[in-house]
């Protein structure tokens, strides 16, 4: 693959107080949660390190029994926060997560166009199809098989609204008294299975034309949706061979859908613990592990596996006979509806238990901190070796990096790990453009003539 400038793409996922129970660290900024100061500091550090973008998640549910136990850091509202961050940063991309289930497509198209203008072309949209949160809106979630069909039509409406203005529609003719040429504006008249939308946005095309479309589904339906629509694909992979297969599959599906596969960036999740030496990194990992309550972790693993585990020795592997294999014909009927939506993630945990023989305690810590993502521990050179190996093997086009603790791991990523990648010539040292599309090496979509 011909990679832009030979550098990998780097996106930082903002977990405001770190992963899992890292908020218990005496250095965490838990008291600053919900202020602008905390996400702004993280974004500024990522911008100094020349990350392509930050991404903000959006969750609308606690896990059973967790209310009050852990801070709900995913509840920062992405659109409003990105608007604030756009005013305080200059180059870094800003990606917001928004569901196709709870927001009307006209609103999504309008909000994202406004944010792209406010940020001067730095906005991306992480498109999700929700599996929780319906109780807050008083609606019933669409059946699993309909989620991506609705999302496809949702994207169709948004794209039509973004493209309704031709690039040269606005002329600002003060002498003639015309702001725009009406013949270059094409109101839509969409009537589909799920949505009926007429008219146009009251803003012309933003600097990027459309926001960068990001997606993270790993099911077969999710892969098809990404192949048709996504420009950046997030994924949970912890095996280089499986990651190569995933990247090859998404590119093959994109080609089958008539798209250029080189225009899709696959960025697996990375949750690194980095320090000046491997010994210090391991010591910090042990400290993070101590903050994870064992009893709560066992409850979570029992929910994931739909199996009784509380009677097991936590320092022994989980017996394979306690678990349902993801290849078993009864697999989907055995799991709860919630985890039927995450078959690929279940497989990751099953392999950790059965193939890697991780102990129950190790599984709890892994689930709490990395949740199926790659989680290397070591010096900056050692972690960079892993990242470079995957990149050069075409198992990825870069990484979605989540610092597992803030500020400790955030500082280590930005001040130790990224400089090591820069020394190797596989991470940028300066921004070469101004928009998120520039950073990612993606073309600006042209409006239809």
């Amino acid at each position: 693959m011909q990679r832009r400038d030979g550098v990998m793409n780097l996106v930082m996922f903002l977990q405001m107080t770190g992963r899992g129970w890292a908020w218990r660290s005496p250095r965490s900024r838990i008291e600053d949660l919900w202020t602008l100061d905390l996400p702004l500091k993280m974004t500024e550090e990522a911008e100094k390190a020349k990350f392509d973008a930050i991404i903000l998640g959006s969750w609308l549910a606690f896990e059973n029994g967790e209310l009050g136990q852990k801070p709900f850091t995913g509840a920062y509202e992405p659109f409003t926060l990105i608007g604030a961050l756009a005013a305080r940063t200059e180059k870094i991309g800003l990606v917001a997560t928004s569901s196709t289930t709870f927001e009307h497509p006209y609103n999504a198209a309008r909000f994202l166009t406004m944010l792209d203008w406010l940020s001067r072309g730095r906005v991306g949209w992480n498109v999700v199809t929700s599996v929780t949160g319906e109780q807050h809106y008083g609606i019933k979630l669409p059946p699993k098989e309909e989620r991506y069909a609705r999302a496809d039509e949702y994207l169709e409406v948004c794209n039509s609204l973004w493209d309704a203005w031709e690039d040269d529609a606005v002329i600002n003719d003060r002498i003639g008294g015309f702001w725009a040429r009406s013949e270059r504006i094409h109101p839509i008249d969409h009537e589909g299975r799920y949505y009926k939308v007429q008219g146009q946005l009251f803003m012309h095309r933003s600097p990027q034309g459309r926001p960068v479309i990001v997606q993270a589904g790993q099911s077969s339906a999710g892969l098809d949706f990404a192949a048709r629509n996504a420009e950046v694909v997030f994924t949970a992979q912890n095996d280089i061979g499986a990651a190569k297969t995933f990247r090859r599959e998404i590119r093959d599906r994109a080609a089958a859908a008539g798209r250029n596969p080189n225009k899709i960036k696959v960025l697996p999740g990375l949750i690194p613990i980095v320090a000046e030496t491997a010994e210090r990194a391991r010591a910090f990992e042990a400290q993070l592990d101590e903050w994870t309550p064992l009893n709560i972790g066992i409850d979570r693993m029992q929910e994931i596996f739909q199996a009784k585990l509380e009677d097991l020795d936590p320092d022994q592997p989980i017996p394979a006979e306690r678990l349902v294999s993801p290849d078993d014909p009864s697999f989907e009927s055995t799991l709860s509806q919630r985890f039927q939506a995450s078959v690929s993630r279940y497989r990751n945990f099953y392999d950790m238990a059965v193939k890697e023989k991780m102990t129950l305690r190790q599984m709890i810590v892994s689930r709490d901190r990395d949740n199926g993502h790659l989680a290397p521990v070591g010096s900056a050179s050692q972690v960079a070796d892993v990242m470079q190996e995957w990149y050069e093997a075409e198992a990825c086009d870069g990484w979605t990096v989540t610092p597992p603790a803030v500020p400790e791991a955030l500082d280590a990523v930005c001040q130790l790990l990224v400089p090591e990648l820069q020394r190797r010539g596989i991470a940028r040292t300066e921004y070469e453009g101004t928009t998120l599309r520039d950073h990612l090496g993606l073309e600006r979509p042209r409006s239809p003539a």
Side-chain angles (χ1 to χ4, degrees):
M1 173 183 173
Q2 183 65 38
R3 291 183 172 86
R4 176 177 177 266
D5 297 331
V7 298
M8 61 177 65
N9 295 114
L10 295 175
V11 173
M12 182 180 289
F13 196 99
L14 297 196
Q15 291 280 120
M16 307 305 175
T17 56
R19 299 281 296 186
W21 297 86
W23 66 273
R24 299 177 67 185
S25 165
R27 292 190 61 198
S28 83
R29 296 186 58 180
I30 187 63
E31 290 81 9
D32 293 329
L33 192 60
W34 310 123
T35 69
L36 177 60
D37 294 346
L38 182 53
L40 177 60
K41 173 65 174 176
M42 296 182 73
T43 305
E44 288 175 336
E45 291 302 310
E47 187 167 49
K48 289 177 186 176
K50 304 301 184 289
F51 273 77
D52 297 325
I54 59 96
I55 178 170
L56 298 168
S58 182
W59 293 271
L60 293 171
F62 278 104
E63 292 187 312
N64 292 337
E66 280 197 348
L67 184 61
Q69 291 177 336
K70 287 199 291 187
F72 199 50
T73 57
Y76 268 91
E77 198 290 304
F79 286 166
T80 49
L81 180 53
I82 277 183
L85 294 174
R88 301 288 291 274
T89 56
E90 295 182 0
K91 294 291 184 67
I92 194 165
L94 306 165
V95 181
T97 298
S98 181
S99 174
T100 57
T101 300
F102 304 122
E103 191 67 67
H104 192 278
Y106 188 91
N107 279 345
R110 182 189 183 202
F111 296 162
L112 287 158
T113 299
M114 186 74 261
L115 288 168
D116 206 46
W117 277 112
L118 292 174
S119 65
R120 300 180 185 272
R122 295 187 282 136
V123 165
W125 174 20
N126 179 33
V127 182
V128 298
T129 59
S130 298
V131 296
T132 60
E134 69 275 17
Q135 69 275 19
H136 306 312
Y137 297 89
I139 66 171
K140 184 177 180 180
L141 288 176
K144 179 181 177 181
E145 60 273 13
E146 283 190 20
R147 293 206 321 267
Y148 285 110
R150 291 173 63 95
D152 269 318
E153 187 178 336
Y154 195 107
L155 261 293
E156 180 185 350
V157 172
C158 289
N159 287 334
S160 296
L161 289 167
W162 290 322
D163 293 346
W165 293 73
E166 294 185 34
D167 284 326
D168 61 353
V170 173
I171 55 175
N172 295 316
D173 182 359
R174 291 179 173 87
I175 302 301
F178 288 96
W179 171 59
R181 293 180 285 192
S182 59
E183 70 274 13
R184 297 289 210 277
I185 306 169
H186 310 286
I188 73 169
D189 186 6
H190 176 93
E191 185 167 357
R193 180 179 177 185
Y194 303 106
Y195 300 103
K196 182 177 181 179
V197 183
Q198 294 180 328
Q200 71 292 310
L201 299 177
F202 293 89
M203 298 170 271
H204 55 298
R205 289 193 105 210
S206 64
Q208 293 188 116
R210 302 176 184 176
V212 173
I213 301 299
V214 179
Q215 203 265 344
Q218 293 192 183
S219 66
S220 180
L223 290 174
D224 282 339
F225 179 81
R228 291 188 297 269
N229 299 290
E231 297 166 289
V232 176
V233 176
F234 296 149
T235 176
Q237 304 288 337
N238 51 35
D239 175 81
I240 190 171
K244 290 174 68 174
T245 299
F246 177 89
R247 181 176 178 272
R248 184 167 55 249
E249 181 174 359
I250 196 71
R251 289 165 59 83
D252 288 346
R253 293 191 189 211
R259 297 181 62 199
N260 182 348
N262 292 326
K263 299 304 180 183
I264 297 180
K265 305 286 185 171
V266 178
L267 308 181
L270 184 80
I271 304 176
I273 296 179
V274 184
E276 292 83 356
T277 66
E279 291 74 18
R280 290 186 179 182
R282 291 294 179 190
F284 186 58
E285 178 189 33
Q287 179 62 78
L288 290 174
D289 293 351
E290 288 182 8
W291 286 319
T292 302
L294 183 62
N295 62 322
I296 295 174
I298 290 175
D299 289 343
R300 298 291 81 77
M301 295 309 299
Q302 289 185 143
E303 184 178 6
I304 289 173
F305 284 123
Q306 294 290 287
K308 182 180 179 181
L309 305 174
E310 59 192 1
D311 61 317
L312 299 177
D313 181 345
D315 294 310
Q316 292 295 321
I318 302 172
E321 59 269 19
R322 291 278 183 108
L323 309 178
V324 177
S325 168
D327 298 318
D328 191 294
S330 66
F331 171 61
E332 290 208 16
S333 62
T334 301
L335 292 185
S336 66
Q337 179 61 41
R338 178 175 182 180
F339 286 96
Q340 285 184 30
S342 304
V343 173
S344 58
R345 191 64 57 89
Y346 178 95
R347 184 180 291 275
N348 287 347
F349 287 117
Y350 181 85
D351 288 346
M352 290 179 198
V354 176
K355 295 182 179 179
E356 300 176 35
K357 303 295 184 183
M358 292 176 65
T359 69
L360 177 56
R361 190 186 302 273
Q362 290 171 329
M363 291 282 294
I364 289 168
V365 169
S366 176
R367 182 263 170 198
D368 191 63
R369 185 161 61 240
D370 52 69
N371 203 27
H373 293 286
L374 188 66
V377 180
S379 66
S381 178
Q382 290 171 326
V383 175
D385 284 345
V386 175
M387 299 172 72
Q388 184 170 3
E389 178 188 8
W390 280 49
Y391 182 66
E392 292 181 348
E394 297 192 343
C396 67
D397 299 295
W399 299 92
T400 304
V401 182
T402 305
V406 177
E408 301 98 326
L410 172 69
D411 293 344
V413 165
C414 293
Q415 298 170 22
L416 296 176
L417 180 58
V418 172
E420 176 63 26
L421 296 171
Q422 292 170 334
R423 282 191 288 273
R424 299 180 185 206
I426 53 176
R428 73 160 48 85
T429 56
E430 294 295 339
Y431 292 109
E432 299 171 6
T434 59
T435 71
L436 178 55
R437 291 187 176 278
D438 291 336
H439 305 339
L440 294 169
L442 299 173
E443 295 177 354
R444 182 184 187 276
R446 294 182 178 180
S447 61

